[in-house]
Amino acid sequence: MNIFRKKNPGRDKTEMIRHLRVYDLIFLGLGSMVGTGIFTITGIGAATYAGPALTVSIIISAIAVGISALFYAEFASRIPANGGAYSYIYATLGEFPAWLAGWLIIMEFLTAVSGVAAGWGGYFKGLLANYNIVLPTALNGTFNPSKGQYIDLLPVLVIILVTGLVLLNSKSVLRFNSALVILKFSALAVFIISGIFFIKPDNWSDFAPFGFGQIYGGKTGIMAGASLMFFAFLGFESISMAVDEVKEPQKNVPRGIVLSLSIVTVLYILVTLILTGIVHYTKLNVADAVAFALRNAGLDWAANYVSMVAILTLVTVCISMTYALTRTVYSISRDGLLPKSLSQVTRHSKVPKNATLLVGAATLICAGVFPLASIAEFLNICTLAYLIMLAIAIIKLRKDQGEPLAGQFRTPFVPVLPILSIIICLSLMSQYQTLTWIAFIVTVLISIVIYFVYGYRNSAVKNT
């Protein structure tokens, strides 16, 4: 039994159309990364984890993600194939590690889309409440018969909308996504420009009230804040999953990853500094932190605009992540580790229809029926686990194939940087609760069963 058989995904011929440019990729990354994290998690992180020093947490998270982004950039340049980390690990570490990585990516994006849809539903319910509109109890919460709740209708509706959009030609859906990203940035610009005049430096006097925290196993402090804010950067890897539809992927994918990550890091630092400058960090444990800070400063018009835009543009996160998730499922199916029907594309728009419908159904069930407690931690631990595998894979790539060729992206300081990445990822993983670890272990065990029951026997590599 050879569970480490390898495949070079870069040799696969794609049925998709190469029509995406670097600016499409930047907007795809920004659509994924700028959402719940900036509108909600920044406030919660400051109030309960790190205080104003959450800005330092963001920098630590950005460094951790940035290192992994360098690995993604080199892999995208040397092995330009759809599927992201799954395909890269398949080519270097072998099939079983690739399957585990692919499964963790699916779990990451599946839960993320469901969680953002649930968050969108919460914002929208708040808006409806202002007009005294309340949904029937049976349609107004996740499955809880004792309270008369059976399905959360609004998240279900937004997922149906997003699934329909992603079934369109990818160029069309990403243009729509880009328009919403621009709208989202207009709201953040309003917050930054208007909020900067209401900063009270005294609010920063106790800059790090929870201290630095512990490198391993901490619950509060800057390091624990970094483990939470890692959530803010999830989605940057969606860029590498669009390789089959990108013009000149060896050049444009690395550029898209690096540029979008840089923009997001600066944006998060600015927003967090202004947020904790306007309002004392102890008051920021609210679901709408950005709008709350503006109302606290008496800027109701700005707060209302930010709230309205947040409701509209959380959809961009769903679009970007659903897009990335369907392309991952498509890639795994094409390799035979999931049913082949999931790799079929439509005749005209060349979109993986069955994969998109499956993803839509799964996220719809998760968002509408199951409560999503501790979603940020579960997302993060799945992501950190496969980023550790990616760091090992870049070391193996250099060992087996040597340095990149001229014109290809080169990650500096290999193997020192990958080893540092592994240490950082393990440190962040150690900050999570026992329940999160149990959920993670159960998820991995399920993936192992699926591989040995179905994937190993139906692998395209085995049957060639």
Side-chain angles (χ1 to χ4, degrees):
M1 178 178 284
N2 182 14
I3 63 174
F4 297 103
R5 53 201 177 199
K6 297 176 184 176
K7 175 190 175 199
N8 185 354
R11 295 178 181 174
D12 288 340
K13 292 183 178 179
T14 180
E15 298 178 77
M16 297 184 182
I17 303 169
R18 293 194 183 277
H19 52 189
L20 303 182
R21 300 182 183 275
V22 68
Y23 60 82
D24 294 308
L25 299 181
I26 291 172
F27 278 106
L28 177 62
L30 295 178
S32 297
M33 289 185 279
V34 182
T36 307
I38 204 160
F39 287 111
T40 301
I41 302 298
T42 46
I44 294 171
T48 61
Y49 284 82
L54 190 70
T55 51
V56 181
S57 301
I58 291 168
I59 293 170
I60 293 172
S61 293
I63 291 171
V65 173
I67 293 172
S68 297
L70 294 176
F71 307 156
Y72 267 99
E74 179 167 331
F75 272 116
S77 181
R78 300 181 70 174
I79 308 174
N82 215 327
Y86 160 76
S87 294
Y88 307 149
I89 291 171
Y90 209 149
T92 51
L93 302 182
E95 184 172 275
F96 180 61
W99 163 254
L100 287 179
W103 179 260
L104 291 173
I105 292 168
I106 290 173
M107 290 299 102
E108 173 201 350
F109 282 100
L110 179 66
T111 318
V113 174
S114 303
V116 173
W120 178 90
Y123 268 101
F124 201 72
K125 287 174 192 175
L127 180 65
L128 293 176
N130 289 333
Y131 299 95
N132 298 315
I133 300 173
V134 180
L135 293 175
T137 303
L139 305 176
N140 200 27
T142 54
F143 188 75
N144 190 342
S146 64
K147 294 183 178 181
Q149 297 174 344
Y150 294 92
I151 190 169
D152 202 358
L153 181 62
L154 290 178
V156 168
L157 293 178
V158 78
I159 286 174
I160 291 172
L161 170 65
V162 168
T163 302
L165 288 170
V166 176
L167 281 170
L168 299 174
N169 173 278
S170 59
K171 187 72 173 177
S172 300
V173 70
L174 291 184
R175 280 179 177 168
F176 177 71
N177 181 68
S178 298
L180 291 180
V181 169
I182 292 170
L183 185 62
K184 187 189 312 186
F185 269 65
S186 73
L188 293 174
V190 166
F191 172 71
I192 292 169
I193 294 170
S194 58
I196 201 168
F197 296 103
F198 293 87
I199 290 175
K200 300 175 183 177
D202 287 347
N203 288 334
W204 294 331
S205 59
D206 189 8
F207 190 74
F210 300 94
F212 185 78
Q214 300 175 15
I215 299 295
Y216 288 94
K219 302 303 178 186
T220 59
I222 290 171
M223 283 303 297
S227 71
L228 177 71
M229 292 311 298
F230 193 84
F231 175 83
F233 296 98
L234 295 186
F236 79 93
E237 64 269 48
S238 62
I239 295 172
S240 68
M241 296 172 191
V243 165
D244 281 359
E245 296 163 273
V246 178
K247 292 183 177 181
E248 298 184 274
Q250 292 92 335
K251 295 180 180 179
N252 288 335
V253 171
R255 289 172 183 168
I257 290 173
V258 173
L259 289 172
S260 62
L261 192 58
S262 301
I263 293 169
V264 168
T265 301
V266 172
L267 194 60
Y268 267 86
I269 290 171
L270 280 174
V271 168
T272 303
L273 277 174
I274 294 172
L275 194 63
T276 54
I278 296 174
V279 180
H280 196 267
Y281 73 91
T282 55
K283 300 178 182 178
L284 287 172
N285 192 14
V286 293
D288 56 346
V290 171
F292 174 81
L294 290 171
R295 288 193 181 96
N296 191 77
L299 299 171
D300 288 346
W301 65 271
N304 292 336
Y305 179 70
V306 167
S307 295
M308 185 65 71
V309 170
I311 290 170
L312 290 172
T313 59
L314 280 177
V315 176
T316 66
V317 182
C318 290
I319 291 173
S320 298
M321 290 192 170
T322 300
Y323 176 90
L325 179 53
T326 58
R327 271 55 182 178
T328 301
V329 172
Y330 164 83
S331 297
I332 297 174
S333 167
R334 190 171 58 178
D335 293 334
L337 304 183
L338 287 174
K340 280 287 187 181
S341 60
L342 297 174
S343 59
Q344 293 176 1
V345 299
T346 55
R347 182 177 300 175
H348 299 294
S349 57
K350 302 299 182 183
V351 170
K353 178 181 177 181
N354 292 338
T356 303
L357 292 174
L358 175 65
V359 165
T363 52
L364 183 150
I365 292 169
C366 288
V369 178
F370 299 110
L372 296 168
S374 303
I375 185 173
E377 288 197 1
F378 181 73
L379 284 173
N380 290 352
I381 202 168
C382 289
T383 308
L384 289 163
Y386 76 73
L387 289 183
I388 288 173
M389 298 170 69
L390 191 70
I392 296 170
I394 196 76
I395 296 173
K396 190 72 164 59
L397 178 68
R398 289 288 184 89
K399 180 181 177 182
D400 293 347
Q401 299 185 26
E403 295 287 324
L405 301 175
Q408 294 179 336
F409 187 91
R410 180 182 182 277
T411 302
F413 308 118
V414 175
V416 175
L417 216 52
I419 292 171
L420 178 61
S421 175
I422 293 170
I423 293 170
I424 294 173
C425 288
L426 288 173
S427 171
L428 296 179
M429 290 174 75
S430 74
Q431 313 284 327
Y432 300 132
Q433 303 174 35
T434 302
L435 185 62
T436 304
W437 274 97
I438 292 172
F440 172 70
I441 292 169
V442 170
T443 297
V444 171
L445 290 176
I446 291 172
S447 75
I448 292 172
V449 171
I450 293 173
Y451 175 75
F452 285 105
V453 170
Y454 181 88
Y456 180 80
R457 292 184 298 171
N458 293 279
S459 167
V461 174
K462 177 186 176 183
N463 297 318
T464 54

